[in-house]
Amino acid sequence: MSWRDVADTTQGWLHDTDGPLLQQYALDAPEGPFVEIGGYCGKSACWLGDAARTKDTVLFSIDWHRGSPEMAVGRECHHPEMIGADGVFDTLPHFRRNIRAAGLEDWVIPIAAASTVVGRYWQTPIGFLFIDGAHDDTGVMADYRHWAPHVIPGGYLLFHDVTIPGIGVAAQAAVDDGFDYVTQVESLRVLRR
Ligand code: MG
């Protein structure tokens, strides 16, 4: 199975244009690792992991893997297969299985923890940052505040789901802080420092 087959069959909420766009800007990023906030089952990590392999860098995929409120039982983004044998929501086994099937384990490094906890201790400059974690107003702004300062000059910052008002606010804060607008396709906005 190719990485692309895995990307195409993995559960997730990427538009058809999102994967190619993520990959295009990841390949164009300056030197430094890629970081994504919100890995879920590894769909975007397949696209970014393949780009990381090409550039001889890595993708750190940060997700606590316990889901978000909209993924809970009875909510619009719930998928029953994400509940483990212990009855607890856990997408990490899905993520690892998919990245292994895609042949990308050497380039995709999962970090199973809350993004703001890792962010408090993170010190490594980032060439490409994809924010697609918490989708509530305070959560996405916290991700932006913790992670965007690490994006190096020329580096990219991408927000998914910017059509959600609170995420649009965070993306606008990035422009106010000096990031340049590059493009937006569907809900994926591309900014550059
Ligand atoms: Mg999203």
Side-chain angles (χ1 to χ4, degrees):
M1 213 178 186
S2 72
W3 71 266
R4 181 62 197 271
D5 292 330
V6 178
D8 287 346
T9 55
T10 292
Q11 163 59 26
W13 292 274
L14 288 187
H15 190 275
D16 288 347
T17 55
D18 289 341
L21 209 65
L22 287 171
Q23 191 162 73
Q24 175 188 333
Y25 287 100
L27 288 171
D28 190 53
E31 195 172 341
F34 308 156
V35 171
E36 72 168 0
I37 310 298
Y40 193 53
C41 294
K43 196 177 186 73
S44 51
C46 285
W47 288 94
L48 293 174
D50 180 63
R53 172 169 54 191
T54 299
K55 294 193 70 160
D56 192 25
T57 186
V58 295
L59 167 70
F60 292 101
S61 177
I62 300 162
D63 194 317
W64 77 323
H65 287 287
R66 297 300 187 199
S68 51
E70 63 273 17
M71 294 172 193
V73 178
R75 292 289 304 274
E76 64 273 24
C77 296
H78 180 65
H79 286 269
E81 66 270 28
M82 303 311 163
I83 306 291
D86 56 359
V88 178
F89 190 102
D90 187 4
T91 50
L92 183 57
H94 297 266
F95 183 97
R96 297 202 74 200
R97 198 176 305 128
N98 290 332
I99 295 306
R100 182 173 185 277
L104 292 170
E105 283 189 302
D106 288 345
W107 298 276
V108 176
I109 316 300
I111 299 179
S115 55
T116 49
V117 174
V118 183
R120 275 170 60 196
Y121 300 99
W122 189 270
Q123 296 189 1
T124 303
I126 296 169
F128 178 97
L129 173 61
F130 177 42
I131 296 182
D132 189 25
H135 283 46
D136 62 287
D137 298 5
T138 51
V140 66
M141 191 61 86
D143 281 338
Y144 169 69
R145 295 278 177 229
H146 278 84
W147 289 94
H150 300 290
V151 176
I152 60 177
Y156 288 100
L157 166 63
L158 289 83
F159 287 91
H160 199 233
D161 306 303
V162 284
T163 48
I164 294 173
I167 298 176
V169 168
Q172 182 57 46
V175 171
D176 296 342
D177 291 342
F179 281 89
D180 292 325
Y181 175 95
V182 175
T183 192
Q184 181 178 335
V185 180
E186 295 294 332
S187 80
L188 185 61
R189 186 169 303 174
V190 181
L191 305 164
R192 190 174 205 182
R193 190 185 286 288

